[in-house]
Amino acid sequence: MITLEMMPPLMFGGLILAMLIGFPVAFTLAALGLSFGFLSIYLGFFDMNFLQAIPGRIFGSVLSNELLLAIPFFTFMGSVLERCGLAEDMLDSMGQLFGPIRGGLGYSVIIVGFILGAITGTVAAQVIAMALISMPVMLRYGYNVRYITGVLAASGTITQLVPPSLVLIVMADQLGKSVGDMYLGAWGPSVLQIALFAGYTFFLGLFLPHHVPAVPKEARTLTGWALWSKCLMGIIPSAVLIFVVLGTMMLGLATPTEAGAMGAIGAIVLAAIHHKDLSSKGHKMLLVGIAATGVAVIVGMLIGEGKLLKLTFAVLYIAVVWLCLEAVRIPDLRDLIKQGYESTMRLSTMVVFILIGSTCFSVVFLGVSGGVWLEHHLTSLPGGVWGFLIFINLFIFFLAFFLDFFEIAFIILPMVAPIAQKVLAPVVGPDAALIWFGVMLCVNMQTSFLHPPFGFALFYLRGVAPKEVKSSDIYWGAMPWIGLQAIMVAIVIAFPITVTALLDKPLDVDLSKVKIEVPQIELPPLDFGGPKQ
């Protein structure tokens, strides 16, 4: 006879078994949830009315969730930017800028990976684009093959951590925190992660200089202002787009969905600017838009809102619309936008189906006291808070061998988030607990793209690498970078301030000592006397 205490481990075990078989995760979750739901009804653990919570949650929390609307916008933005030539221009200019020093091409890949991560948010696009552009050049100048494959894969996976990462949006939704706070918490670890990557390259240049040689002088075609101008032409538009997307959110000027929509339009404009077939009128409208933006900033600072500010914004909007129409006019960009729509539709559909399946599973799991079972086991771990964090991170690390980050976020996070809030609140406070936890897991889940046998970044590299690059080189090349990501996880666990430093500090107010003094208003005395003669 199956008892109520046996149901949670049976559901959990059935989930792992079904995933190992390889059946699609969304349908596995829904099938398991409904199967155990009907079994629980048969055994009398709850009645049929309990399952009414499933459609209620799907239509009330999933399909009507405005935060998840940001995912299609950011996906479209990344899909357009990955193919518009921006990565190629930046890698070329950065490679020539850092080329004279040992490991210069590696530094350029790391820096460009960080910048692209802040404007695209998609790992596949970034790994493939950088590999196609940089791998032949690095092979030509004698870089170690394993270093090449490792730095290209790792610099692509940093996209998961650098805002506006899709992972952080999903994390914020599943943890019930604001996207802006998740982004603020992720900046410290993402910058430290880049520093670790650059430090590893630096030490390779010191101890194994033949692995990361400098680019010969005769191979550097740009020097002086021509080189710097090409670098700035790639960095400045990217910085503007980063501000439009992230700055407006963090300043409270836009919601994540609104910022994503502006990013999608900005990606089309950036693609049009970088295309060689942009017309002379398009160039003039670009200059008009830049001038209108400058005037709007000055007017806003000196005068404030008014007709002049509205007029400058109207001119800016006209310039943006014109550049979008230019993108539609150019056949290459028209096809690019169409491909962006298709990839956005595929990813968004996948996310929605996984969410529906995970809702079916989680409702039944909680109905059979799965939350109580999980909390008992996780809070009974030796080591208290640190034992809990070490166990969860090891569990997520090994789970990422078989699942991608969407599946982990939608399946595991809803189960462990309440426990993490309870366990971690005494360490960093109740407001920052889940932000710290979410960013920590985001750092950890970078490894899901890198470690064998199912690291998708390794598959992407294998698909575009030349035949002389062996699969063993790709797998072995990823190992040091997985170690660097594991070190970053340890740093975030040991030093929560790396996440919480930029977060708003909670007000330390003792409510028992708050006094509200209302000033007494003296009223003239009432005259109840009779009417005056």
Side-chain angles (χ1 to χ4, degrees):
M1 183 67 181
I2 299 176
T3 63
L4 181 62
E5 291 76 16
M6 296 169 62
M7 290 294 286
L10 283 175
M11 287 190 70
F12 206 76
L15 176 64
I16 294 174
L17 179 62
M19 288 179 179
L20 290 176
I21 293 172
F23 200 70
V25 173
F27 304 116
T28 297
L29 289 169
L32 279 172
L34 294 176
S35 299
F36 277 93
F38 289 123
L39 178 62
S40 299
I41 293 170
Y42 174 75
L43 296 174
F45 300 143
F46 49 72
D47 57 23
M48 184 65 76
N49 292 329
F50 182 82
L51 294 184
Q52 292 178 357
I54 294 176
R57 268 201 182 182
I58 290 172
F59 289 102
S61 302
V62 177
L63 299 182
S64 63
N65 190 337
E66 293 185 2
L67 179 58
L68 294 178
L69 285 175
I71 292 178
F73 287 123
F74 284 113
T75 304
F76 177 78
M77 180 177 74
S79 181
V80 170
L81 290 174
E82 75 186 41
R83 303 181 181 95
C84 73
L86 179 66
E88 184 175 353
D89 290 346
M90 291 180 68
L91 282 168
D92 180 45
S93 58
M94 288 287 180
Q96 298 208 38
L97 183 65
F98 290 100
I101 61 176
R102 291 172 184 169
L105 294 179
Y107 293 129
S108 68
V109 167
I110 293 168
I111 293 171
V112 172
F114 180 74
I115 296 172
L116 289 178
I119 59 174
T120 62
T122 53
V123 173
Q126 194 162 320
V127 171
I128 292 171
M130 293 200 302
L132 286 172
I133 299 162
S134 296
M135 186 177 285
V137 178
M138 298 175 85
L139 288 171
R140 186 187 315 145
Y141 295 122
Y143 273 65
N144 180 269
V145 175
R146 294 183 178 180
Y147 173 81
I148 295 172
T149 57
V151 73
L152 287 170
S155 299
T157 59
I158 192 69
T159 301
Q160 285 200 110
L161 183 59
V162 180
S165 162
L166 291 180
V167 184
L168 293 172
I169 296 175
V170 172
M171 288 277 190
D173 175 67
Q174 295 299 301
L175 296 174
K177 308 302 290 186
S178 77
V179 176
D181 284 345
M182 290 297 294
Y183 284 174
L184 286 173
W187 273 118
S190 59
V191 172
L192 286 174
Q193 185 77 83
I194 290 296
L196 280 176
F197 289 171
Y200 175 69
T201 302
F202 175 76
F203 282 108
L204 272 183
L206 288 180
F207 298 107
L208 295 170
H210 60 284
H211 280 200
V212 286
V215 175
K217 187 176 181 180
E218 59 272 13
R220 301 194 294 271
T221 57
L222 293 175
T223 56
W225 173 243
L227 174 58
W228 282 102
S229 63
K230 188 169 183 179
C231 290
L232 293 175
M233 285 300 292
I235 292 174
I236 291 176
S238 303
V240 171
L241 187 58
I242 291 170
F243 173 77
V244 166
V245 175
L246 297 178
T248 53
M249 258 193 297
M250 293 180 182
L251 292 175
L253 302 176
T255 65
T257 304
E258 293 166 345
M262 289 190 292
I265 296 297
I268 296 175
V269 171
L270 209 57
I273 292 170
H274 271 80
H275 202 277
K276 64 182 185 303
D277 292 336
L278 182 66
S279 68
S280 58
K281 290 183 179 179
H283 283 101
K284 291 176 183 176
M285 291 303 295
L286 172 63
L287 295 176
V288 169
I290 294 172
T293 303
V295 172
V297 171
I298 295 171
V299 170
M301 292 174 63
L302 298 180
I303 302 176
E305 293 187 12
K307 292 184 178 179
L308 184 58
L309 183 64
K310 293 178 180 178
L311 179 63
T312 55
F313 270 112
V315 173
L316 175 60
Y317 293 154
I318 292 171
V320 169
V321 170
W322 187 282
L323 289 169
C324 289
L325 293 176
E326 285 275 335
V328 175
R329 179 187 64 81
I330 300 170
D332 291 346
L333 294 184
R334 191 163 59 246
D335 292 340
L336 186 151
I337 293 171
K338 180 183 175 183
Q339 292 169 12
Y341 288 147
E342 291 172 352
S343 60
T344 300
M345 180 184 66
R346 284 193 295 269
L347 181 67
S348 302
T349 304
M350 181 194 75
V351 168
V352 169
F353 271 100
I354 292 176
L355 270 171
I356 291 172
S358 65
T359 301
C360 294
F361 183 87
S362 61
V363 166
V364 175
F365 187 74
L366 293 175
V368 294
S369 302
V372 177
W373 173 78
L374 203 59
E375 180 177 355
H376 169 73
H377 282 82
L378 291 179
T379 54
S380 302
L381 293 169
V385 174
W386 312 113
F388 168 77
L389 290 177
I390 292 170
F391 173 81
I392 286 293
N393 277 282
L394 288 175
F395 177 65
I396 294 294
F397 177 80
F398 287 108
L399 203 62
F401 275 74
F402 311 102
L403 304 179
D404 67 17
F405 68 88
F406 278 124
E407 294 158 355
I408 293 173
F410 293 142
I411 300 169
I412 304 301
L413 271 188
M415 297 182 190
V416 299
I419 306 167
Q421 174 70 34
K422 181 178 179 180
V423 172
L424 303 181
V427 180
V428 293
D431 295 328
L434 289 182
I435 300 293
W436 178 35
F437 184 66
V439 173
M440 184 192 309
L441 294 189
C442 189
V443 177
N444 191 336
M445 282 194 287
Q446 289 180 100
T447 61
S448 68
F449 279 88
L450 276 185
H451 53 46
F454 301 118
F456 288 106
L458 308 183
F459 292 160
Y460 303 145
L461 275 180
R462 178 66 278 168
V464 298
K467 292 181 180 180
E468 59 265 27
V469 177
K470 301 176 182 177
S471 296
S472 59
D473 291 328
I474 295 176
Y475 285 119
W476 284 109
M479 294 304 175
W481 305 89
I482 295 173
L484 293 173
Q485 291 174 341
I487 291 171
M488 192 64 239
V489 174
I491 290 173
V492 172
I493 292 175
F495 304 101
I497 196 171
T498 56
V499 174
T500 60
L502 297 178
L503 300 179
D504 293 332
K505 299 294 185 292
L507 297 176
D508 188 12
V509 178
D510 186 356
L511 297 179
S512 64
K513 297 181 180 179
V514 174
K515 294 182 179 180
I516 301 175
E517 296 182 358
V518 180
Q520 298 295 325
I521 301 175
E522 294 186 6
L523 298 175
L526 296 175
D527 186 3
F528 293 103
K532 293 182 179 180
Q533 299 296 329

PDB file of all heavy atoms in Angstrom, residues 206-227:
ATOM      1  N   LEU A 206      52.256  34.251 -18.971  1.00  0.00           N
ATOM      2  CA  LEU A 206      53.506  34.273 -18.196  1.00  0.00           C
ATOM      3  C   LEU A 206      54.207  32.925 -18.205  1.00  0.00           C
ATOM      4  O   LEU A 206      55.439  32.856 -18.411  1.00  0.00           O
ATOM      5  CB  LEU A 206      53.209  34.687 -16.748  1.00  0.00           C
ATOM      6  CG  LEU A 206      52.837  36.149 -16.482  1.00  0.00           C
ATOM      7  CD1 LEU A 206      52.579  36.354 -14.985  1.00  0.00           C
ATOM      8  CD2 LEU A 206      53.946  37.091 -16.946  1.00  0.00           C
ATOM      9  N   PHE A 207      53.466  31.847 -17.980  1.00  0.00           N
ATOM     10  CA  PHE A 207      54.081  30.539 -17.771  1.00  0.00           C
ATOM     11  C   PHE A 207      54.082  29.652 -19.022  1.00  0.00           C
ATOM     12  O   PHE A 207      54.926  28.771 -19.140  1.00  0.00           O
ATOM     13  CB  PHE A 207      53.363  29.816 -16.618  1.00  0.00           C
ATOM     14  CG  PHE A 207      53.472  30.544 -15.309  1.00  0.00           C
ATOM     15  CD1 PHE A 207      52.371  31.209 -14.775  1.00  0.00           C
ATOM     16  CD2 PHE A 207      54.671  30.592 -14.615  1.00  0.00           C
ATOM     17  CE1 PHE A 207      52.464  31.894 -13.570  1.00  0.00           C
ATOM     18  CE2 PHE A 207      54.778  31.267 -13.407  1.00  0.00           C
ATOM     19  CZ  PHE A 207      53.678  31.927 -12.887  1.00  0.00           C
ATOM     20  N   LEU A 208      53.119  29.865 -19.920  1.00  0.00           N
ATOM     21  CA  LEU A 208      53.077  29.088 -21.172  1.00  0.00           C
ATOM     22  C   LEU A 208      52.876  30.060 -22.334  1.00  0.00           C
ATOM     23  O   LEU A 208      51.834  30.050 -23.015  1.00  0.00           O
ATOM     24  CB  LEU A 208      51.939  28.056 -21.128  1.00  0.00           C
ATOM     25  CG  LEU A 208      52.051  26.931 -20.093  1.00  0.00           C
ATOM     26  CD1 LEU A 208      50.755  26.138 -20.007  1.00  0.00           C
ATOM     27  CD2 LEU A 208      53.213  25.994 -20.426  1.00  0.00           C
ATOM     28  N   PRO A 209      53.865  30.918 -22.593  1.00  0.00           N
ATOM     29  CA  PRO A 209      53.671  31.968 -23.610  1.00  0.00           C
ATOM     30  C   PRO A 209      53.414  31.420 -25.012  1.00  0.00           C
ATOM     31  O   PRO A 209      52.766  32.089 -25.823  1.00  0.00           O
ATOM     32  CB  PRO A 209      54.983  32.751 -23.558  1.00  0.00           C
ATOM     33  CG  PRO A 209      55.968  31.826 -22.922  1.00  0.00           C
ATOM     34  CD  PRO A 209      55.190  30.978 -21.967  1.00  0.00           C
ATOM     35  N   HIS A 210      53.883  30.212 -25.303  1.00  0.00           N
ATOM     36  CA  HIS A 210      53.653  29.648 -26.628  1.00  0.00           C
ATOM     37  C   HIS A 210      52.198  29.231 -26.837  1.00  0.00           C
ATOM     38  O   HIS A 210      51.781  28.970 -27.972  1.00  0.00           O
ATOM     39  CB  HIS A 210      54.580  28.443 -26.864  1.00  0.00           C
ATOM     40  CG  HIS A 210      54.385  27.339 -25.873  1.00  0.00           C
ATOM     41  ND1 HIS A 210      54.867  27.425 -24.578  1.00  0.00           N
ATOM     42  CD2 HIS A 210      53.767  26.126 -25.966  1.00  0.00           C
ATOM     43  CE1 HIS A 210      54.543  26.307 -23.924  1.00  0.00           C
ATOM     44  NE2 HIS A 210      53.885  25.514 -24.745  1.00  0.00           N
ATOM     45  N   HIS A 211      51.416  29.150 -25.749  1.00  0.00           N
ATOM     46  CA  HIS A 211      49.986  28.822 -25.880  1.00  0.00           C
ATOM     47  C   HIS A 211      49.165  30.035 -26.326  1.00  0.00           C
ATOM     48  O   HIS A 211      48.121  29.867 -26.954  1.00  0.00           O
ATOM     49  CB  HIS A 211      49.444  28.305 -24.550  1.00  0.00           C
ATOM     50  CG  HIS A 211      49.763  26.870 -24.300  1.00  0.00           C
ATOM     51  ND1 HIS A 211      49.072  26.089 -23.399  1.00  0.00           N
ATOM     52  CD2 HIS A 211      50.704  26.055 -24.841  1.00  0.00           C
ATOM     53  CE1 HIS A 211      49.583  24.862 -23.383  1.00  0.00           C
ATOM     54  NE2 HIS A 211      50.569  24.831 -24.254  1.00  0.00           N
ATOM     55  N   VAL A 212      49.626  31.235 -25.971  1.00  0.00           N
ATOM     56  CA  VAL A 212      48.867  32.462 -26.279  1.00  0.00           C
ATOM     57  C   VAL A 212      49.823  33.522 -26.830  1.00  0.00           C
ATOM     58  O   VAL A 212      50.054  34.552 -26.202  1.00  0.00           O
ATOM     59  CB  VAL A 212      48.117  32.978 -25.028  1.00  0.00           C
ATOM     60  CG1 VAL A 212      46.918  32.119 -24.707  1.00  0.00           C
ATOM     61  CG2 VAL A 212      49.039  33.030 -23.806  1.00  0.00           C
ATOM     62  N   PRO A 213      50.390  33.322 -28.008  1.00  0.00           N
ATOM     63  CA  PRO A 213      51.387  34.262 -28.535  1.00  0.00           C
ATOM     64  C   PRO A 213      50.762  35.590 -28.967  1.00  0.00           C
ATOM     65  O   PRO A 213      49.553  35.679 -29.217  1.00  0.00           O
ATOM     66  CB  PRO A 213      51.964  33.515 -29.739  1.00  0.00           C
ATOM     67  CG  PRO A 213      50.849  32.630 -30.186  1.00  0.00           C
ATOM     68  CD  PRO A 213      50.124  32.207 -28.941  1.00  0.00           C
ATOM     69  N   ALA A 214      51.617  36.607 -29.069  1.00  0.00           N
ATOM     70  CA  ALA A 214      51.169  37.899 -29.583  1.00  0.00           C
ATOM     71  C   ALA A 214      51.001  37.818 -31.100  1.00  0.00           C
ATOM     72  O   ALA A 214      51.626  37.000 -31.770  1.00  0.00           O
ATOM     73  CB  ALA A 214      52.180  38.981 -29.221  1.00  0.00           C
ATOM     74  N   VAL A 215      50.147  38.676 -31.642  1.00  0.00           N
ATOM     75  CA  VAL A 215      49.934  38.726 -33.092  1.00  0.00           C
ATOM     76  C   VAL A 215      51.114  39.455 -33.731  1.00  0.00           C
ATOM     77  O   VAL A 215      51.516  40.527 -33.264  1.00  0.00           O
ATOM     78  CB  VAL A 215      48.616  39.449 -33.418  1.00  0.00           C
ATOM     79  CG1 VAL A 215      48.434  39.610 -34.926  1.00  0.00           C
ATOM     80  CG2 VAL A 215      47.446  38.697 -32.817  1.00  0.00           C
ATOM     81  N   PRO A 216      51.706  38.921 -34.792  1.00  0.00           N
ATOM     82  CA  PRO A 216      52.835  39.589 -35.444  1.00  0.00           C
ATOM     83  C   PRO A 216      52.464  41.001 -35.919  1.00  0.00           C
ATOM     84  O   PRO A 216      51.310  41.267 -36.279  1.00  0.00           O
ATOM     85  CB  PRO A 216      53.151  38.681 -36.641  1.00  0.00           C
ATOM     86  CG  PRO A 216      52.560  37.365 -36.290  1.00  0.00           C
ATOM     87  CD  PRO A 216      51.376  37.638 -35.429  1.00  0.00           C
ATOM     88  N   LYS A 217      53.456  41.881 -35.925  1.00  0.00           N
ATOM     89  CA  LYS A 217      53.206  43.280 -36.273  1.00  0.00           C
ATOM     90  C   LYS A 217      52.655  43.433 -37.676  1.00  0.00           C
ATOM     91  O   LYS A 217      51.764  44.259 -37.934  1.00  0.00           O
ATOM     92  CB  LYS A 217      54.509  44.069 -36.128  1.00  0.00           C
ATOM     93  CG  LYS A 217      54.322  45.566 -36.298  1.00  0.00           C
ATOM     94  CD  LYS A 217      55.617  46.302 -36.039  1.00  0.00           C
ATOM     95  CE  LYS A 217      55.409  47.824 -36.184  1.00  0.00           C
ATOM     96  NZ  LYS A 217      56.659  48.559 -35.934  1.00  0.00           N
ATOM     97  N   GLU A 218      53.161  42.619 -38.624  1.00  0.00           N
ATOM     98  CA  GLU A 218      52.723  42.748 -40.010  1.00  0.00           C
ATOM     99  C   GLU A 218      51.260  42.340 -40.208  1.00  0.00           C
ATOM    100  O   GLU A 218      50.640  42.661 -41.228  1.00  0.00           O
ATOM    101  CB  GLU A 218      53.605  41.899 -40.930  1.00  0.00           C
ATOM    102  CG  GLU A 218      53.621  40.409 -40.618  1.00  0.00           C
ATOM    103  CD  GLU A 218      54.685  40.023 -39.593  1.00  0.00           C
ATOM    104  OE1 GLU A 218      55.236  40.941 -38.936  1.00  0.00           O
ATOM    105  OE2 GLU A 218      54.951  38.825 -39.460  1.00  0.00           O
ATOM    106  N   ALA A 219      50.679  41.630 -39.233  1.00  0.00           N
ATOM    107  CA  ALA A 219      49.286  41.195 -39.347  1.00  0.00           C
ATOM    108  C   ALA A 219      48.306  42.249 -38.837  1.00  0.00           C
ATOM    109  O   ALA A 219      47.096  42.105 -39.017  1.00  0.00           O
ATOM    110  CB  ALA A 219      49.073  39.891 -38.579  1.00  0.00           C
ATOM    111  N   ARG A 220      48.827  43.305 -38.210  1.00  0.00           N
ATOM    112  CA  ARG A 220      47.962  44.346 -37.662  1.00  0.00           C
ATOM    113  C   ARG A 220      47.796  45.447 -38.700  1.00  0.00           C
ATOM    114  O   ARG A 220      48.686  46.259 -38.925  1.00  0.00           O
ATOM    115  CB  ARG A 220      48.545  44.879 -36.351  1.00  0.00           C
ATOM    116  CG  ARG A 220      48.717  43.787 -35.304  1.00  0.00           C
ATOM    117  CD  ARG A 220      48.959  44.348 -33.923  1.00  0.00           C
ATOM    118  NE  ARG A 220      50.225  45.061 -33.779  1.00  0.00           N
ATOM    119  CZ  ARG A 220      51.365  44.482 -33.434  1.00  0.00           C
ATOM    120  NH1 ARG A 220      51.395  43.193 -33.188  1.00  0.00           N
ATOM    121  NH2 ARG A 220      52.461  45.189 -33.315  1.00  0.00           N
ATOM    122  N   THR A 221      46.623  45.471 -39.329  1.00  0.00           N
ATOM    123  CA  THR A 221      46.387  46.376 -40.461  1.00  0.00           C
ATOM    124  C   THR A 221      45.945  47.765 -40.020  1.00  0.00           C
ATOM    125  O   THR A 221      46.050  48.710 -40.797  1.00  0.00           O
ATOM    126  CB  THR A 221      45.310  45.792 -41.387  1.00  0.00           C
ATOM    127  OG1 THR A 221      44.108  45.559 -40.629  1.00  0.00           O
ATOM    128  CG2 THR A 221      45.790  44.474 -41.986  1.00  0.00           C
ATOM    129  N   LEU A 222      45.421  47.894 -38.815  1.00  0.00           N
ATOM    130  CA  LEU A 222      44.947  49.194 -38.327  1.00  0.00           C
ATOM    131  C   LEU A 222      45.818  49.686 -37.184  1.00  0.00           C
ATOM    132  O   LEU A 222      46.204  48.903 -36.315  1.00  0.00           O
ATOM    133  CB  LEU A 222      43.492  49.098 -37.858  1.00  0.00           C
ATOM    134  CG  LEU A 222      42.428  48.820 -38.931  1.00  0.00           C
ATOM    135  CD1 LEU A 222      41.072  48.646 -38.271  1.00  0.00           C
ATOM    136  CD2 LEU A 222      42.382  49.937 -39.952  1.00  0.00           C
ATOM    137  N   THR A 223      46.126  50.970 -37.184  1.00  0.00           N
ATOM    138  CA  THR A 223      46.881  51.586 -36.089  1.00  0.00           C
ATOM    139  C   THR A 223      46.332  52.987 -35.836  1.00  0.00           C
ATOM    140  O   THR A 223      45.599  53.535 -36.663  1.00  0.00           O
ATOM    141  CB  THR A 223      48.388  51.686 -36.428  1.00  0.00           C
ATOM    142  OG1 THR A 223      48.534  52.416 -37.666  1.00  0.00           O
ATOM    143  CG2 THR A 223      49.031  50.316 -36.572  1.00  0.00           C
ATOM    144  N   GLY A 224      46.720  53.551 -34.705  1.00  0.00           N
ATOM    145  CA  GLY A 224      46.379  54.931 -34.410  1.00  0.00           C
ATOM    146  C   GLY A 224      44.889  55.194 -34.334  1.00  0.00           C
ATOM    147  O   GLY A 224      44.104  54.371 -33.858  1.00  0.00           O
ATOM    148  N   TRP A 225      44.493  56.380 -34.853  1.00  0.00           N
ATOM    149  CA  TRP A 225      43.099  56.792 -34.741  1.00  0.00           C
ATOM    150  C   TRP A 225      42.161  55.883 -35.524  1.00  0.00           C
ATOM    151  O   TRP A 225      41.008  55.675 -35.128  1.00  0.00           O
ATOM    152  CB  TRP A 225      42.953  58.235 -35.218  1.00  0.00           C
ATOM    153  CG  TRP A 225      41.527  58.675 -35.286  1.00  0.00           C
ATOM    154  CD1 TRP A 225      40.824  59.049 -36.389  1.00  0.00           C
ATOM    155  CD2 TRP A 225      40.600  58.753 -34.190  1.00  0.00           C
ATOM    156  NE1 TRP A 225      39.533  59.364 -36.068  1.00  0.00           N
ATOM    157  CE2 TRP A 225      39.356  59.194 -34.717  1.00  0.00           C
ATOM    158  CE3 TRP A 225      40.694  58.501 -32.819  1.00  0.00           C
ATOM    159  CZ2 TRP A 225      38.236  59.394 -33.929  1.00  0.00           C
ATOM    160  CZ3 TRP A 225      39.566  58.692 -32.029  1.00  0.00           C
ATOM    161  CH2 TRP A 225      38.356  59.128 -32.576  1.00  0.00           C
ATOM    162  N   ALA A 226      42.626  55.328 -36.645  1.00  0.00           N
ATOM    163  CA  ALA A 226      41.771  54.427 -37.429  1.00  0.00           C
ATOM    164  C   ALA A 226      41.345  53.219 -36.598  1.00  0.00           C
ATOM    165  O   ALA A 226      40.192  52.778 -36.654  1.00  0.00           O
ATOM    166  CB  ALA A 226      42.515  53.967 -38.680  1.00  0.00           C
ATOM    167  N   LEU A 227      42.282  52.695 -35.787  1.00  0.00           N
ATOM    168  CA  LEU A 227      41.964  51.552 -34.926  1.00  0.00           C
ATOM    169  C   LEU A 227      41.007  51.959 -33.821  1.00  0.00           C
ATOM    170  O   LEU A 227      40.011  51.277 -33.562  1.00  0.00           O
ATOM    171  CB  LEU A 227      43.264  50.975 -34.352  1.00  0.00           C
ATOM    172  CG  LEU A 227      43.121  49.857 -33.309  1.00  0.00           C
ATOM    173  CD1 LEU A 227      42.349  48.682 -33.887  1.00  0.00           C
ATOM    174  CD2 LEU A 227      44.487  49.409 -32.823  1.00  0.00           C
TER     175      LEU A 227
END
